[in-house]
Amino acid sequence: MACEFGQVEGDIEALNERDLGNVMPDGVSFSQFKEKLDSGEFALLTDTPMRPAMVHDNTNKL
């Protein structure tokens, strides 16, 4: 899962319904989908996020 950190989209406000129509689950409206993304219940992975939500840092391991 760590390899997917940089693929999580963080710019949720810039998302529009036309771009997400094919990735939204059945029965979930666009506004519900954005709310779930904003709350962290859902995550949107993309090869080229506009603003990555997470950054994997190999130098700060616990």
Side-chain angles (χ1 to χ4, degrees), residues 5-47:
F5 281 171
Q7 294 179 302
V8 178
E9 180 59 66
D11 196 4
I12 296 165
E13 293 305 314
L15 300 173
N16 65 59
E17 190 169 1
R18 188 184 77 223
D19 293 337
L20 298 177
N22 61 342
V23 298
M24 291 190 307
D26 290 337
V28 176
S29 71
F30 178 66
S31 61
Q32 290 172 325
F33 187 68
K34 283 184 74 169
E35 286 175 17
K36 290 180 183 290
L37 288 172
D38 193 42
S39 72
E41 188 175 341
F42 286 175
L44 180 64
L45 300 180
T46 178
D47 290 335

